[in-house]
Amino acid sequence: MGRWEPNARGRLAEAALQLYSERGYEQTTVAEIAKQAGLTERTFFRHYADKREVLFSGAGDLQDLFVREVADAPEGTAPIEALVLGLDAVAGAFAGRRAHARTRQAVITANAELQERELIKLASMSAALARTLRGRGVAEPGATLAAEAGMAVFKVGFERWIEADEDQDMARLLREALAELKDVVAGGGQRAPGSPRTETGAQVARAQATEPR
Amino acid sequence: MGRWEPNARGRLAEAALQLYSERGYEQTTVAEIAKQAGLTERTFFRHYADKREVLFSGAGDLQDLFVREVADAPEGTAPIEALVLGLDAVAGAFAGRRAHARTRQAVITANAELQERELIKLASMSAALARTLRGRGVAEPGATLAAEAGMAVFKVGFERWIEADEDQDMARLLREALAELKDVVAGGGQRAPGSPRTETGAQVARAQATEPR
């Protein structure tokens, strides 16, 4: 292998994820990751500060994308609609990466330290979105509440996307999650035990979303 | 001082908070906290595992209270209304403790490790609320979304309560935050720069809430 190592960063990330998944995050060493990727430890450390960063380096890009879409929404766009534009872009960035996302999530769920890091990442994203909405002239506490709502939709929609039996359209799942959030916040969502099932706004939206276009 | 130490736990907590606030969390030792409270280190460790736990031991009680109120809401209560009952109880538990809550928050904001711990605490509370709502028959993802909405309302209302110039009714601030959340989630909250101010649902709710009864 020459000094030019094509896509070293991506190869290291894939090798790391595979080893974390097979052997466990704690049991895997940087030397093993480098070897698995056919690269040297030195190359690893040119791309990542440590083995944890491999799992979280994408989070910064994701946050930048989300924030940029919200910032660039047309003037006068309601905060929640600006967030929907951001969520659509995020869904686009995940397209074709469901297997990767599932494996990464399983690795994180299995390790308390990684779960904490994930919480911090999500909190940082929420704070960045709130800041962006304030920059668009949205007053507090509306900006923070809208950002928190957007993050709740992202978390729930993302979880449904990776948990589903088959690969579904993440953008659609995110919109369904938003419809559900609208419904529960407005006072819907309760079915008394044994009572006949009534259609909520979210169910109507889901039925519409799954109709052939 | 005899072997019976009246309110040792509370005295240790107050002493710790005072020292963290004056000298910084990292600079304060358990020996200093015990001395400030007029107690021994041995007594400290009978009540708290370490100096961090002093700041977070109340979180478990708060979560228990919040969860219990939601669980005990009358059958058929909408998820968001069950959460409002929980938020009212939480506000009651904070009554008369604003100075303490402000100082604690300032200590936490000044330290990255404590901020992380706080995020974990809030995530745990959200998960417990979602579990409780599922126990009431609320389907997913509605239960998780409602719990996340309730936590967003709690965070924003709590922050407004401790930041305000004077001691306001926390229950009222929480209801205002919920009204704002309903408004932004439903598509409100944007004022185009320079446009005339229009009343949103949240502003109407706030105006009503501040009217003399």
Side-chain angles (χ1 to χ4, degrees):
Chain A
M1 173 150 322
R3 290 191 49 172
W4 182 69
E5 294 141 346
N7 191 25
R9 192 176 169 83
R11 281 159 57 197
L12 287 163
E14 282 308 316
L17 198 60
Q18 191 186 330
L19 293 173
Y20 296 165
S21 175
E22 287 169 9
R23 304 183 189 178
Y25 169 76
E26 286 182 42
Q27 285 71 46
T28 303
T29 66
V30 167
E32 289 165 342
I33 297 168
K35 191 179 171 202
Q36 172 88 7
L39 296 165
T40 63
E41 277 190 72
R42 203 186 136 108
T43 302
F44 179 94
F45 288 114
R46 259 209 302 278
H47 290 280
Y48 299 104
D50 53 40
K51 68 176 186 169
R52 195 179 70 171
E53 206 207 320
V54 185
L55 290 167
F56 293 98
S57 69
D61 297 341
L62 197 68
Q63 179 173 315
D64 290 348
L65 173 69
F66 202 163
V67 160
R68 195 169 56 237
E69 290 295 315
V70 172
D72 290 350
E75 198 180 311
T77 306
I80 199 75
E81 294 307 325
L83 289 163
V84 166
L85 295 174
L87 289 167
D88 282 346
V90 165
F94 275 108
R97 294 180 58 74
R98 185 161 169 265
H100 178 98
R102 281 178 88 139
T103 308
R104 177 183 176 279
Q105 206 62 32
V107 169
I108 285 169
T109 303
N111 183 292
E113 182 208 329
L114 298 176
Q115 281 180 44
E116 293 180 14
R117 182 74 217 150
E118 183 85 340
L119 283 177
I120 294 161
K121 186 199 80 177
L122 294 170
S124 147
M125 212 178 281
S126 182
L129 291 170
R131 215 160 37 234
T132 307
L133 289 172
R134 285 195 298 274
R136 291 177 57 85
V138 180
E140 284 297 356
T144 293
L145 288 163
E148 291 278 324
M151 289 307 298
V153 165
F154 172 64
K155 280 186 268 185
V156 164
F158 179 81
E159 206 162 288
R160 288 173 74 100
W161 179 63
I162 59 171
E163 279 177 0
D165 289 333
E166 51 191 51
D167 197 348
Q168 298 189 44
D169 179 12
M170 197 208 274
R172 187 173 61 75
L173 293 173
L174 290 169
R175 280 165 192 272
E176 282 179 18
L178 175 59
E180 286 269 359
L181 178 64
K182 285 185 188 192
D183 188 53
V184 291
V185 164
Q190 178 71 3
R191 269 184 295 135
S195 71
R197 193 184 166 109
T198 56
E199 272 200 338
T200 65
Q203 284 157 358
V204 171
R206 189 155 57 226
Q208 287 168 346
T210 51
E211 275 168 11
R213 273 175 267 192
Chain B
M1 176 151 320
R3 291 191 52 172
W4 183 70
E5 293 141 347
N7 192 25
R9 192 175 168 82
R11 280 158 58 196
L12 287 163
E14 283 307 316
L17 197 61
Q18 190 187 332
L19 292 173
Y20 296 165
S21 175
E22 287 169 8
R23 305 183 188 178
Y25 170 75
E26 286 183 42
Q27 285 72 45
T28 302
T29 65
V30 167
E32 288 166 341
I33 295 167
K35 191 179 170 203
Q36 172 88 7
L39 296 164
T40 63
E41 278 192 70
R42 202 186 138 108
T43 302
F44 178 94
F45 288 114
R46 259 208 305 277
H47 291 281
Y48 298 103
D50 53 39
K51 68 177 186 169
R52 195 179 71 170
E53 206 208 319
V54 184
L55 290 167
F56 293 97
S57 69
D61 296 340
L62 198 67
Q63 180 173 315
D64 291 346
L65 174 69
F66 202 162
V67 161
R68 195 168 57 236
E69 290 294 318
V70 171
D72 291 349
E75 198 180 312
T77 305
I80 199 74
E81 294 308 324
L83 288 163
V84 166
L85 295 175
L87 289 167
D88 282 346
V90 165
F94 275 109
R97 294 178 59 75
R98 187 163 168 262
H100 178 98
R102 283 178 87 140
T103 308
R104 177 183 175 281
Q105 206 60 32
V107 168
I108 286 169
T109 303
N111 183 290
E113 181 208 330
L114 298 176
Q115 282 180 44
E116 292 179 17
R117 182 75 216 150
E118 183 85 342
L119 283 177
I120 294 160
K121 187 199 78 177
L122 294 170
S124 146
M125 213 179 281
S126 183
L129 290 170
R131 214 158 41 232
T132 307
L133 289 172
R134 285 196 297 274
R136 292 177 58 86
V138 181
E140 284 296 355
T144 293
L145 287 163
E148 291 277 325
M151 289 307 297
V153 165
F154 172 65
K155 280 187 268 186
V156 164
F158 179 81
E159 206 162 287
R160 287 174 73 101
W161 180 63
I162 59 171
E163 279 178 357
D165 288 334
E166 51 191 56
D167 197 348
Q168 298 188 46
D169 179 12
M170 198 209 274
R172 187 172 62 74
L173 294 173
L174 291 169
R175 280 165 191 271
E176 282 179 16
L178 176 59
E180 286 268 0
L181 178 65
K182 285 185 187 191
D183 188 54
V184 291
V185 165
Q190 178 71 2
R191 269 183 294 135
S195 72
R197 193 185 168 106
T198 55
E199 273 200 339
T200 64
Q203 285 157 357
V204 171
R206 190 155 55 227
Q208 286 168 346
T210 51
E211 273 170 11
R213 274 174 263 192

